[in-house]
């Protein structure tokens, strides 16, 4: 959710970009010889990247932009377009070894400057565009395999040289173990995806601002939280459709230069989307690149809109002409298209399974601030004993504010726990169910209209009131624990730990209980000896 000033700024940039873009096809149709300017494309691109490296400002540890008259630009977004034109100009006549080497040298120089600027996401995009264009134009698989091997070697070197690369790999492997250090950002992104569910929370009902840099790097997660996974999948499918349309247009070009330009633009577009969405969903490590045409940022929007108009310009220069590309080249393009479609479909399946499969675990994570949103929507469900007795229930005070009531007080303090100063016991384990509602859709709509809360789901335990009371009284004033289980099923029938506390007064007693525990006065009443003790 953007501040009004940022919204207006982005809107102005979009309008300005479209106005500029309208001239692009007209200029391209009138100007001949674009294929002969490869040295200009390559030299200008390198000069701009060097300028950023020398004079650019540091953003999040990377030199990405510089300012002119108070306006900030990220030149690498525009150099990507120049790079596509340069590689296409090198390969359009004949993708022989000489042209491949020339393009490779300039590509390596672009990538090296980006690496020195610590803009590794853009460096990876440049590398992918070069390798795939060489593979398609040469019709030789060995160049593709050489590129993959080179990518592996470069990744290993980057892992050893850059600490933030190692951090991002560690975060990707296990964001939960590093949530206090580098994993907080991706964890909040996953919480947002989970909170949105299949159909979203609704416009302005999410908490996207809990994700650091959400408007640039994690805009997809913010959209899914409010609009749902189904909507997010539709965005991915739209992006895939645009990619396939560009690739299909490339096949129909008469001039192979424009064929390669369109292919390069298509790869540039879809690969950047893969890095952005894949990083935000933990499908691949984070790279910190923007989602084309969606993320906040003037340079990204302007470059993407110009790119789309460039596509129209290429088509306009080749209208009513017969294609001249070989069948082998067309087959290579099909292989690349199938690869990206397959990867995105795998990513969709992964995201759905991973996010929905971990929804329960994430709901009890203390870093998930979205739990408070569920409290506003749903009345926390009731916890019952095996005989139907109420062990925890939500009531309203004189001001109609919710509070949690525990009819049996200290007797079930450790096993049932509390939810007002963090979460413990069943209140923690069953938190997901207690905060979610399965009321009929009609009831939920009615509650929303009249400002009422939905009734949260109830949880039935295997606890036996009589056994719990007997164990509680038998332990008396002694410190220790009593656990009664059904040995044939593993059901917990009773669990008592002493010293105990009164969960009904936990809000007022909490600090005192913590202090006594730290000073070891008669043992810690918050310590559950039945599950945490070493008896």
């Amino acid at each position: 959710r953007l501040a009004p000033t940022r919204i207006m700024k982005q809107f102005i940039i979009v309008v300005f970009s479209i106005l500029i873009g309208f001239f692009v096809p007209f200029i391209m149709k009138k100007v001949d010889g674009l294929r002969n300017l490869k040295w200009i494309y390559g030299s200008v691109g390198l000069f701009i990247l060097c300028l950023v490296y020398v004079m650019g400002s540091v953003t999040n540890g990377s030199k990405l932009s510089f300012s002119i008259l108070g306006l900030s630009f990220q030149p690498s977004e525009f150099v990507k377009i120049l790079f596509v034109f340069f590689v296409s100009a090198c390969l359009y006549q004949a993708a022989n070894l000489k042209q491949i080497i020339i393009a490779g040298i300039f590509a390596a120089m672009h990538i090296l400057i980006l690496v020195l600027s610590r803009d590794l996401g853009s460096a990876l995009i440049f590398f992918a565009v070069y390798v795939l264009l060489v593979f398609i134009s040469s019709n030789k698989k060995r160049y593709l395999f050489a590129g993959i091997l080179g990518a592996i070697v470069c990744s290993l070197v980057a892992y050893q040289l850059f600490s933030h690369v190692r951090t991002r790999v560690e975060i990707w492997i296990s964001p939960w173990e590093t949530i206090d250090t580098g994993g907080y950002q991706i964890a909040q992104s996953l919480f947002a995806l989970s909170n949105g569910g299949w159909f979203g929370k609704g416009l302005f009902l999410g908490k996207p601002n809990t994700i650091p840099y959400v408007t640039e790097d994690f805009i997809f997660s913010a959209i899914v939280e409010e609009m749902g996974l189904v909507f997010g999948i539709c965005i991915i499918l739209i992006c895939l459709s645009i990619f396939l349309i560009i690739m299909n247009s490339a096949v129909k070009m008469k001039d192979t230069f424009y064929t390669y330009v369109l292919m390069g633009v298509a790869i540039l577009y879809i690969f950047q989307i893969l890095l952005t969405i894949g990083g935000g969903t933990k499908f691949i490590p984070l790279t910190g690149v923007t989602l084309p045409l969606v993320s906040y940022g003037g340079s990204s929007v302007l470059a993407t809109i110009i790119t789309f108009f460039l596509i129209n310009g290429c088509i306009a220069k080749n209208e009513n002409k017969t294609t001249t590309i070989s069948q082998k080249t067309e087959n290579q393009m099909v292989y690349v298209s199938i690869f990206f479609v397959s990867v995105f479909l795998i990513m969709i399946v992964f995201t759905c399974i991973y996010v929905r499969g971990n929804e329960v675990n994430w709901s009890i994570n203390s870093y998930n601030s979205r739990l408070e949103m569920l409290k506003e929507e749903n009345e926390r469900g009731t916890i019952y004993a095996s005989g139907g007795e109420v062990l925890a229930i939500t009531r309203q005070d004189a001001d109609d504010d919710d509070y949690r009531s525990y009819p049996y007080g200290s007797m079930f303090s450790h096993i049932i726990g509390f939810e007002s100063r963090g979460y413990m016991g069943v209140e923690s384990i069953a938190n997901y169910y207690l905060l979610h509602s399965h009321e009929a859709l009609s009831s939920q709509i009615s509650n929303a209209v009249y400002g009422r809360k939905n009734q949260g789901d109830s949880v039935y335990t295997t606890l036996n009131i009589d056994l719990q009371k007997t164990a509680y009284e038998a332990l008396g004033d002694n410190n220790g624990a009593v656990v009664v289980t059904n040995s044939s099923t593993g059901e917990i029938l009773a669990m008592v730990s002493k010293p105990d506390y009164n969960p009904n007064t936990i809000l007022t007693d909490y600090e005192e209980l913590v202090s006594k525990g730290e000073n070891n006065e008669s043992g810690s009443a918050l310590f559950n000896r039945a599950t945490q003790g070493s008896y």
Side-chain angles (χ1 to χ4, degrees):
R1 206 167 295 133
L2 297 175
T5 53
R6 299 184 77 188
I7 293 173
M8 287 305 301
K9 181 180 178 182
Q10 189 78 347
F11 176 75
I12 292 172
I13 291 172
V14 169
V15 173
F16 178 72
S17 301
I18 293 174
L19 292 176
I20 292 177
F22 276 126
F23 292 97
V24 173
F26 175 78
I27 294 173
M28 289 185 66
K29 194 169 183 178
K30 296 295 182 180
V31 177
D32 292 322
L34 292 176
R35 66 180 67 81
N36 301 319
L37 303 177
K38 66 180 178 182
W39 300 118
I40 294 178
Y41 303 138
S43 301
V44 171
L46 286 173
F47 174 77
I48 293 174
L49 291 182
C50 288
L51 193 64
V52 175
Y53 176 69
V54 175
M55 303 176 58
S57 57
V58 177
T59 304
N60 302 325
S62 303
K63 282 191 175 182
L64 301 176
S65 60
F66 59 84
S67 299
I68 299 177
L69 300 176
L71 297 176
S72 180
F73 296 90
Q74 188 170 335
S76 62
E77 294 290 340
F78 305 99
V79 176
K80 291 173 187 175
I81 302 173
L82 290 174
F83 183 75
V84 168
F85 271 79
F86 170 74
V87 177
S88 301
C90 288
L91 303 176
Y92 85 95
Q93 285 183 327
N96 53 42
L97 184 60
K98 177 183 177 181
Q99 296 300 326
I100 291 173
I101 291 175
I102 292 173
I105 292 173
F106 270 76
M109 294 171 67
H110 280 77
I111 293 169
L112 179 60
I113 297 171
L114 289 169
V115 169
L116 293 175
S117 301
R118 299 173 69 88
D119 188 4
L120 301 185
S122 295
L124 186 58
I125 294 172
F126 278 66
F127 182 82
V129 169
Y130 168 74
V131 170
L132 292 178
L133 277 182
V134 168
F135 165 64
I136 293 172
S137 61
S138 66
N139 300 317
K140 294 177 181 178
K141 293 183 176 60
R142 63 172 177 266
Y143 291 129
L144 177 62
F145 294 140
I148 294 173
L149 180 61
I152 294 173
V153 172
C154 291
S155 298
L156 293 175
V157 172
Y159 182 84
Q160 296 297 325
L161 293 179
F162 299 104
S163 59
H164 71 286
V165 173
R166 293 193 293 274
T167 300
R168 288 186 176 184
V169 172
E170 292 169 2
I171 292 168
W172 173 57
I173 294 172
S174 181
W176 315 111
E177 294 180 4
T178 59
I179 195 168
D180 282 321
T181 53
Y184 181 83
Q185 190 180 37
I186 184 62
Q188 292 300 325
S189 172
L190 295 173
F191 290 154
L193 293 170
S194 174
N195 189 45
W198 290 113
F199 302 105
K201 307 301 294 183
L203 285 174
F204 304 109
L205 298 179
K207 295 185 70 174
N209 291 333
T210 60
I211 310 173
Y213 307 108
V214 62
T215 56
E216 292 88 7
D217 302 346
F218 290 91
I219 193 69
F220 180 78
S221 301
I223 292 172
V224 169
E225 181 175 17
E226 298 194 350
M227 305 302 292
L229 271 172
V230 172
F231 191 88
I233 291 170
C234 290
I235 290 178
I236 294 174
L237 295 178
I238 289 172
C239 293
L240 272 177
S241 299
I242 293 173
F243 164 72
L244 294 175
I245 290 171
I246 300 173
M247 292 295 281
N248 182 59
S249 299
V251 174
K252 300 176 181 179
M253 295 293 101
K254 177 184 178 182
D255 193 324
T256 52
F257 169 72
Y258 293 104
T259 296
Y260 295 153
V261 167
L262 288 185
M263 285 192 295
V265 166
I267 294 167
L268 180 71
Y269 173 75
I270 201 65
F271 194 71
Q272 186 163 335
I273 290 171
L274 174 62
L275 294 181
T276 307
I277 298 179
T281 58
K282 210 185 93 64
F283 181 66
I284 58 176
L286 287 168
T287 54
V289 296
T290 56
L291 187 62
L293 207 63
V294 180
S295 293
Y296 177 81
S299 299
S300 177
V301 169
L302 175 58
T304 305
I305 290 177
I306 288 177
T307 300
F308 285 164
F309 278 102
L310 279 172
I311 295 168
N312 284 303
C314 292
I315 295 172
K317 287 188 74 70
N318 286 264
E319 60 184 356
N320 301 321
K321 296 179 181 179
T322 306
T323 181
T324 59
I325 67 169
S326 67
Q327 186 62 46
K328 283 187 176 181
T329 300
E330 187 172 344
N331 290 339
Q332 307 291 52
M333 295 171 66
V334 171
Y335 296 150
V336 171
S337 300
I338 292 174
F339 168 77
F340 278 110
V341 170
S342 301
V343 169
F344 272 87
L345 292 179
I346 293 171
M347 183 173 67
I348 290 172
V349 173
F350 167 84
T351 301
C352 293
I353 293 175
Y354 184 70
V355 171
R356 303 301 294 176
N358 287 282
E359 189 174 7
V360 176
N361 294 331
W362 295 344
S363 71
I364 62 176
N365 192 297
S366 59
Y367 287 87
N368 191 353
S369 60
R370 288 165 175 79
L371 297 179
E372 298 302 318
M373 297 171 57
L374 292 174
K375 288 183 178 180
E376 297 173 3
E377 299 172 7
N378 305 325
E379 181 179 295
R380 193 174 184 82
T382 303
I383 302 175
Y384 293 96
S386 60
E389 300 89 347
V390 174
L391 301 179
I393 190 170
T394 298
R395 301 187 187 281
Q396 285 74 39
D397 59 20
D399 298 323
D400 289 331
D401 293 326
D402 291 348
Y403 72 94
R404 202 68 166 160
S405 175
Y406 302 91
Y408 290 90
S410 301
M411 186 185 297
F412 286 90
S413 58
H414 284 96
I415 182 63
I416 297 302
F418 54 81
E419 57 80 44
S420 52
R421 293 298 297 265
Y423 295 88
M424 289 187 67
V426 175
E427 292 277 32
S428 173
I429 296 170
N431 189 48
Y432 173 83
Y433 305 102
L434 294 167
L435 283 176
H436 284 74
S437 177
H438 282 83
E439 281 196 35
L441 181 60
S442 58
S443 298
Q444 293 191 36
I445 294 174
S446 176
N447 292 337
V449 171
Y450 291 102
R452 298 189 297 258
K453 290 185 176 182
N454 303 313
Q455 179 57 52
D457 294 341
S458 297
V459 171
Y460 289 81
T461 70
T462 57
L463 296 169
N464 183 287
I465 293 291
D466 294 333
L467 285 175
Q468 184 80 4
K469 182 178 180 181
T470 301
Y472 187 81
E473 293 175 349
L475 192 56
D477 295 330
N478 298 299
N479 290 354
V482 176
V483 179
V484 183
T485 67
N486 183 333
S487 60
S488 63
T489 64
E491 294 174 340
I492 297 175
L493 307 179
M495 181 184 289
V496 177
S497 176
K498 289 191 177 182
D500 54 24
Y501 58 90
N502 185 352
N504 289 303
T505 58
I506 191 66
L507 276 174
T508 56
D509 299 345
Y510 185 79
E511 299 298 338
E512 181 181 354
L513 291 170
V514 171
S515 177
K516 286 184 177 180
E518 291 175 347
N519 297 324
N520 199 28
E521 298 177 16
S522 302
S524 173
L526 296 176
F527 184 74
N528 186 349
R529 284 157 176 77
T531 58
Q532 298 171 290
S534 56
Y535 301 110

